[in-house]
């Protein structure tokens, strides 16, 4: 399996560098131990890839990946070859700005899913573009390996286990699995009169 990446913002890495350096100096509450102990000189970044999102309405209406909305740019942050964070840049009025730094399991789960994909006979010899799919209302995050005529999705943490287990899914299989939960969640949202759900 060969990974390809979209054309990244030319100043993406320069935009991230000060934010990463500030985060490394802070080393405050909520930062994982690997990130807190990382030396700035040993930090490296992956190629940039895009996040995409589908809403509950999309899933209820049977819309698929071709309707997914383009979101932030993602970079995996490594220290000494180990993934320690997921850094995000948002496009704002034609240029990129630092959006967030996720020290949780997102980066390591992404790397684990890619290793699983590399060992899959289904993807052997194929060229795929790395993407990430979010269905925020269901807490679903999936690695999206996009190729002409085929999309493979691998749910990762923090996706609830009862929603989907980590493994390779076709678009149709994963969306069919998500549909009942999406319909149930949409029913709760539609029945809510307080206006607090989803806030």
């Amino acid at each position: 399996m060969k990974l390809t990446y979209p054309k990244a913002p030319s100043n993406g890495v320069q935009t991230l560098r000060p934010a990463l350096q500030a985060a490394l100096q802070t080393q405050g509450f909520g930062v994982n131990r690997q990130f807190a102990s990382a030396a700035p000189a040993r930090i490296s970044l992956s190629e940039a890839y895009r996040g995409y999102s589908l809403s509950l309405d999309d899933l209820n209406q049977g819309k698929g990946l071709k309707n997914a909305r383009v979101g932030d740019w993602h970079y995996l942050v490594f220290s000494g070859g180990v993934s320690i964070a997921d850094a995000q840049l948002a496009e704002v009025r034609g240029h990129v700005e630092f959006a967030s730094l996720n020290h949780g399991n997102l980066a390591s789960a992404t790397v684990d899913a890619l290793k699983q994909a590399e060992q899959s006979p289904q993807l052997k010899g194929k060229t795929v573009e790395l993407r990430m799919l979010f269905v925020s209302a269901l807490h679903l995050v999936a690695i999206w390996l996009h190729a002409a005529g085929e999309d493979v999705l691998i749910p990762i943490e923090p996706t609830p286990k009862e929603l989907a287990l980590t493994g390779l899914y076709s678009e149709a299989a994963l969306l069919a699995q998500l549909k009942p939960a999406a319909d149930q969640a949409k029913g709760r949202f539609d029945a809510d009169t307080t206006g607090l759900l989803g806030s």
Side-chain angles (χ1 to χ4, degrees):
M1 179 183 82
K2 181 174 183 287
L3 289 178
T4 63
Y5 300 86
K7 185 169 170 32
S10 57
N11 62 336
V13 174
Q14 294 93 307
T15 305
L16 273 180
R17 205 162 264 139
L20 286 173
Q21 285 170 341
L24 286 167
Q25 285 162 3
T26 309
Q27 299 183 350
F29 175 76
V31 175
N32 72 31
R33 198 174 292 117
Q34 283 178 315
F35 190 89
S37 62
R42 300 190 68 201
I43 294 285
S44 62
L45 297 171
S46 72
E47 297 281 345
Y49 53 99
R50 291 308 284 261
Y52 291 78
S53 64
L54 285 170
S55 68
L56 278 184
D57 284 338
D58 294 331
L59 294 178
N60 292 125
Q61 293 164 18
K63 292 180 179 175
L65 296 177
K66 69 178 187 299
N67 299 107
R69 278 166 294 290
V70 179
D72 289 351
W73 288 96
H74 289 257
Y75 295 77
L76 291 173
V77 182
F78 293 91
S79 173
V82 177
S83 57
I84 57 169
D86 171 89
Q88 294 172 39
L89 293 176
E91 285 191 6
V92 182
R93 293 183 293 282
H95 66 279
V96 288
E97 293 178 1
F98 175 69
S100 68
L101 189 62
N102 182 316
H103 308 108
N105 294 329
L106 190 61
S108 58
T110 299
V111 170
D112 290 345
L114 290 174
K115 285 178 183 166
Q116 189 176 0
E118 274 176 359
Q119 291 161 4
S120 161
Q122 180 185 342
L123 291 167
K124 197 172 179 65
K126 293 191 176 166
T127 298
V128 292
E129 181 186 311
L130 176 59
R131 299 177 174 184
M132 192 165 263
L133 179 70
F134 296 90
V135 183
S136 299
L138 299 179
H139 306 292
L140 174 112
V141 182
I143 298 305
W144 174 4
L145 302 172
H146 170 68
E150 183 183 24
D151 289 289
V152 173
L153 296 151
I154 306 172
I156 61 171
E157 287 188 60
T159 302
K161 296 274 185 271
E162 62 274 13
L163 196 61
L165 296 171
T166 299
L168 277 67
Y169 292 79
S170 67
E171 175 185 8
L174 185 61
L175 294 182
Q177 192 156 324
L178 297 181
K179 184 86 165 71
D183 289 344
Q184 195 176 3
K186 179 87 164 66
R188 282 199 307 274
F189 280 119
D190 290 348
D192 175 48
T193 55
T194 65
L196 296 174
L197 271 180
S199 61

